[in-house]
Amino acid sequence: LSLSLYLFLACPLLLYVCFRSKKYDDLCVWFEKHLADTVTKTAVRATFSDVELPIAHQRVVKSPAEICAMRRSGQTTSKAVTKGMRATQEGMLEWSLASLIEGSYGSEDLGLPAFSTVAASGANATILHYMNRCQLMKDGDLVLVDAGAWLHGYSSDMARTWPVSGRFSEPQARIYQAVLNVQKAILKTLRERSTSLSTLHEKTFVHLERELEAIHFFPAGLNLTPGQKRQAINIFFPHHIGHYVGIHVHDCKRVNKTLQLGPGMVVAIEPGLYFNPDNCPKWVPEEYHGIGVRIEDTVAVLDGGEIELLTEGCPKEINEIEAIVGKH
């Protein structure tokens, strides 16, 4: 049909160019009118459907081959971030750390960055999606890295936080361990029962409150109501617990996060706590100001309620991190 239409369009034009007669002028006018009438009549009867959402619902469930590709992507990301941990040292530029990690994707598996790597040290780690990357990393600071390789057409997404010096201070360790405990609790929920990202997000606030209370984060005489504690945690944890991952790092955005997670679905789980000095409530202990921690892994939901952490190759226990930071 398309070829016939092109020929039908082209023939009068060629004849006109060749002969330039009034007969062909009239033919072109008739043709334009006839074509316009046909399109108008057809369009009235036509119906149009938005196919983005049905396609997204198909994409959100991955085949075994797709999960295999994402496993490779996750392994590549894990190796690159571990390499970044080992290379970290005082006086290193955030940009240099990010470049080292992104360059490792290609040297490992001919991968590319799925997104620009976040490398945020000190108080910069409290700024979501900080991208300036121009600060020198200092002894005593944490550095937060959010990275992901794009390999064989599929993305991964992970975040780790570690001390520039190779040793967590006591306040840093308390906050870090709290976030890690929350991630473990959310992964346990994901493993044990059918759930959704929305449900996991609500449970995250419960776990964060419990962990902060365990380290006596809320001053004893403050007497915050549950609602006030929730508002405070909203400040310290201002993003969602997770998102779908696939061809894009934030994949299938139109698929509702209330959808029950089932076999073949791949999500990122990313609890965090960020104590930005510029917007911390006055009652937050000063020892926590400027601390930003995020721990994120890409997780595949498998048959039988099992899950697989596709980015688990990178250390996240405190003793594991302190054993390798700065050690080439």
Side-chain angles (χ1 to χ4, degrees):
L1 178 61
S2 298
L3 180 59
S4 302
L5 182 59
Y6 290 144
L7 292 173
F8 191 42
L9 285 167
C11 285
L13 181 60
L14 290 171
L15 290 169
Y16 176 73
V17 170
C18 293
F19 300 103
R20 297 179 183 272
S21 69
K22 186 176 184 305
K23 179 185 293 186
Y24 295 108
D25 283 340
D26 294 340
L27 178 62
C28 288
V29 170
W30 172 87
F31 172 74
E32 289 174 4
K33 182 177 183 305
H34 180 72
L35 181 63
D37 290 343
T38 302
V39 170
T40 302
K41 291 174 183 177
T42 305
V44 170
R45 297 193 302 270
T47 57
F48 299 92
S49 299
D50 181 0
V51 299
E52 183 181 355
L53 187 56
I55 290 174
H57 275 277
Q58 291 180 326
R59 279 176 50 185
V60 81
V61 179
K62 309 295 188 293
S63 69
E66 288 176 302
I67 291 179
C68 182
M70 296 187 72
R71 185 180 295 114
R72 287 285 304 279
S73 176
Q75 290 169 348
T76 298
T77 305
S78 296
K79 290 177 185 176
V81 175
T82 303
K83 187 175 181 179
M85 284 184 177
R86 293 185 180 279
T88 298
Q89 55 186 336
E90 183 184 3
M92 188 180 192
L93 266 175
E94 296 165 331
W95 179 87
S96 298
L97 177 59
S99 298
L100 173 70
I101 290 169
E102 291 183 357
S104 297
Y105 301 154
S107 62
E108 286 287 342
D109 288 296
L110 301 179
L112 297 170
F115 55 93
S116 293
T117 300
V118 173
S121 64
N124 293 336
T126 68
I127 303 169
L128 295 185
H129 306 298
Y130 164 82
M131 290 308 302
N132 286 348
R133 303 184 298 190
C134 58
Q135 181 169 289
L136 292 173
M137 296 189 291
K138 302 170 187 172
D139 188 17
D141 284 348
L142 295 177
V143 58
L144 187 159
V145 167
D146 196 326
W150 189 81
L151 189 66
H152 304 309
Y154 286 87
S155 305
S156 57
D157 194 6
M158 68 172 290
R160 293 290 187 269
T161 308
W162 62 87
V164 174
S165 67
R167 288 289 180 270
F168 288 91
S169 68
E170 287 189 16
Q172 290 169 349
R174 287 196 291 270
I175 296 302
Y176 184 91
Q177 191 62 51
V179 174
L180 182 57
N181 290 346
V182 170
Q183 196 206 39
K184 289 178 178 178
I186 294 301
L187 292 175
K188 182 180 179 182
T189 300
L190 182 56
R191 183 181 288 110
E192 290 179 349
R193 62 180 63 88
S194 178
T195 187
S196 67
L197 285 174
S198 292
T199 300
L200 293 176
H201 186 63
E202 289 303 311
K203 287 184 178 295
T204 300
F205 283 94
V206 176
H207 293 302
L208 282 172
E209 181 178 338
R210 186 178 301 153
E211 291 295 329
L212 289 174
E213 286 178 343
I215 63 173
H216 309 291
F217 177 82
F218 301 105
L222 200 59
N223 296 321
L224 293 176
T225 66
Q228 289 172 326
K229 287 183 179 179
R230 171 67 183 251
Q231 287 177 348
I233 293 172
N234 262 323
I235 296 173
F236 310 139
F237 176 58
H239 58 79
H240 205 280
I241 185 58
H243 56 85
Y244 305 113
V245 186
I247 295 173
H248 300 125
V249 68
H250 282 260
D251 209 34
C252 305
K253 291 183 181 180
R254 288 191 60 186
V255 175
N256 201 302
K257 290 184 177 179
T258 60
L259 182 67
Q260 292 294 298
L261 299 174
M265 299 177 75
V266 180
V267 296
I269 300 296
E270 51 176 336
L273 285 171
Y274 317 89
F275 301 101
N276 190 318
D278 295 331
N279 66 2
C280 267
K282 293 181 180 179
W283 52 262
V284 174
E286 193 162 343
E287 63 182 350
Y288 297 123
H289 287 202
I291 293 178
V293 173
R294 179 160 67 250
I295 303 172
E296 178 180 19
D297 283 290
T298 301
V299 184
V301 181
L302 308 178
D303 291 323
E306 292 299 314
I307 63 171
E308 179 184 354
L309 272 64
L310 304 180
T311 48
E312 70 174 346
C314 185
K316 57 183 176 183
E317 296 290 345
I318 287 178
N319 62 330
E320 294 174 344
I321 289 172
E322 291 184 339
I324 69 167
V325 170
K327 298 177 175 63
H328 294 280

